[in-house]
Amino acid sequence: MKYNSDVEAVDALSIAYEEIRKEIAKVIVGQDEVVKSVLISIFSNGHCLLVGVPGLAKTLLVQTVARVLDLSFNRIQFTPDLMPSDIIGSEILGEDRNFKFIKGPVFSNIILADEINRTPPKTQAALLEAMQEKSVTAAGVTHHLPKPFFVLATQNPIEQEGTYPLPEAQLDRFMFNVSLSYPSFEEELNIVKSTTSNVVAELKRILNADQISYFQQLIRQIPVADHVLEYAVKLVAKTRPQTQYATPEINKYISWGAGPRASQYLIIGAKCHAAINRKYSPDIEDVQAVAQPILKHRIVRNYKAEAEGMSTEQIVANLF
């Protein structure tokens, strides 16, 4: 796939994004912002954490995205007895008396880590290397994962008994933390109509793995003005209490702020947001468009914020 210029390539990405969104809408009713965040994560070569109650079509969304993008897909149900080898694979003794590595379900383009907080930290950590390094290590041998590689993890915000909250280091590996809300009355009406009949939507494959990898590289090449870079870095610096740029509200309600990875994700996310809207360089509005799902899981509230009912979403929104 070749384009005469980066401008032409950005136009092609914007057209492909709209086609992908329309195909997904054949199956997923509403949830436009969630779909947008998932697609930006994929084109930005990041990962996404979805937080929502059961029954909001999280699994169906990932399956649909995988079909439209012609990518391999595996779903891993995280449970308290899940072992690291159940995710990455293990070595077995073959008939020729030599050990051979049997790949686990993580060897796929898109991984749905369902209820990731239901498994112990040891197993959660097995996914950490895969997410960061795009490879896994077994018996001292490194095995590279297919490209592109994208983890979409889900959490149920209601039922917290017997769960293992994700440590901050692992939360930081997720580019976006996206909250799913209930559908509107009209949307739920359409959902019930479409899912209680024999009509099955036919989905077209819009892109393939090679094209997605190309667009991931394209997004990194998009230029960014210095004032936009400074805005993104300053926005992240504002989240760090007792520092030069911290606001009074941050000093009052936040124990720990976001790290440098947040600044990196703000810029790469802003580049992608600009590209899908057929802009050839991001501006401050693009940074703001992706800031909420990037920052809200990277700041830690203190007891005052919890006592006064200040959510991380409110605190991030006030930074703008």
Side-chain angles (χ1 to χ4, degrees):
M1 182 176 57
K2 289 184 179 181
Y3 296 99
N4 294 327
S5 66
D6 286 348
V7 169
E8 190 178 311
V10 168
D11 290 345
L13 172 58
S14 177
I15 293 168
Y17 168 78
E18 285 302 321
E19 290 178 354
I20 292 165
R21 196 178 56 77
K22 287 175 184 175
E23 288 300 306
I24 293 172
K26 292 179 181 178
V27 178
I28 304 297
V29 178
Q31 305 290 10
D32 293 335
E33 286 302 311
V34 177
V35 171
K36 182 179 176 182
S37 294
V38 169
L39 293 176
I40 288 177
S41 293
I42 291 175
F43 288 122
S44 300
N45 203 13
H47 307 288
C48 193
L49 178 66
L50 289 184
V51 180
V53 298
L56 294 181
K58 296 186 290 291
T59 304
L60 181 61
L61 168 61
V62 187
Q63 288 174 332
T64 306
V65 169
R67 286 171 61 191
V68 174
L69 298 181
D70 198 18
L71 298 173
S72 57
F73 164 76
N74 272 327
R75 177 179 178 270
I76 305 173
Q77 182 65 53
F78 280 71
T79 56
D81 59 348
L82 196 72
M83 298 296 290
S85 58
D86 296 329
I87 297 174
I88 66 174
S90 58
E91 288 206 328
I92 64 168
L93 189 64
E95 294 178 358
D96 57 357
R97 294 193 170 275
N98 288 320
F99 283 98
K100 62 178 180 179
F101 180 69
I102 303 299
K103 293 179 178 180
V106 77
F107 285 85
S108 193
N109 294 125
I110 296 183
I111 303 297
L112 173 61
D114 216 353
E115 297 198 90
I116 192 172
N117 57 331
R118 294 216 168 274
T119 202
K122 183 178 181 181
T123 308
Q124 289 176 357
L127 198 60
L128 197 61
E129 181 192 2
M131 291 172 61
Q132 184 65 19
E133 308 299 333
K134 308 294 173 72
S135 63
V136 299
T137 303
V141 179
T142 299
H143 304 270
H144 294 285
L145 297 170
K147 293 181 181 181
F149 177 74
F150 173 66
V151 172
L152 197 148
T154 69
Q155 279 189 191
N156 178 353
I158 300 174
E159 201 177 356
Q160 295 301 325
E161 287 185 19
T163 61
Y164 304 84
L166 289 175
E168 300 303 322
Q170 185 148 359
L171 271 177
D172 198 45
R173 295 311 198 271
F174 287 99
M175 180 178 183
F176 283 160
N177 180 339
V178 181
S179 298
L180 279 83
S181 57
Y182 290 111
S184 66
F185 180 83
E186 290 76 15
E187 288 172 345
E188 191 162 351
L189 204 59
N190 289 332
I191 290 168
V192 174
K193 279 182 182 177
S194 61
T195 56
T196 55
S197 66
N198 288 326
V199 179
V200 179
E202 291 187 15
L203 297 177
K204 292 189 295 183
R205 288 175 168 81
I206 306 300
L207 296 177
N208 58 35
D210 291 337
Q211 291 171 310
I212 293 167
S213 295
Y214 173 84
F215 285 131
Q216 287 175 340
Q217 291 299 317
L218 171 72
I219 285 165
R220 290 191 169 269
Q221 295 168 14
I222 291 175
V224 184
D226 287 344
H227 76 279
V228 177
L229 276 169
E230 289 173 8
Y231 178 83
V233 173
K234 192 174 286 187
L235 189 62
V236 173
K238 281 182 181 181
T239 69
R240 300 165 186 162
Q242 314 308 326
T243 59
Q244 178 183 356
Y245 297 106
T247 64
E249 187 177 58
I250 291 295
N251 288 332
K252 181 180 179 181
Y253 292 129
I254 298 299
S255 299
W256 297 98
R261 190 178 278 118
S263 301
Q264 295 169 330
Y265 279 146
L266 277 178
I267 291 300
I268 198 75
K271 286 182 176 187
C272 187
H273 188 271
I276 63 176
N277 287 287
R278 205 172 285 199
K279 294 194 292 187
Y280 309 113
S281 181
D283 52 30
I284 287 173
E285 285 73 22
D286 292 305
V287 176
Q288 292 176 342
V290 298
Q292 184 69 256
I294 287 175
L295 292 177
K296 70 180 181 181
H297 61 296
R298 291 184 163 86
I299 59 176
V300 180
R301 295 180 302 161
N302 58 24
Y303 71 94
K304 285 183 183 177
E306 294 180 16
E308 296 182 25
M310 285 294 290
S311 67
T312 54
E313 288 89 347
Q314 285 176 286
I315 295 168
V316 171
N318 291 342
L319 290 176
F320 298 152

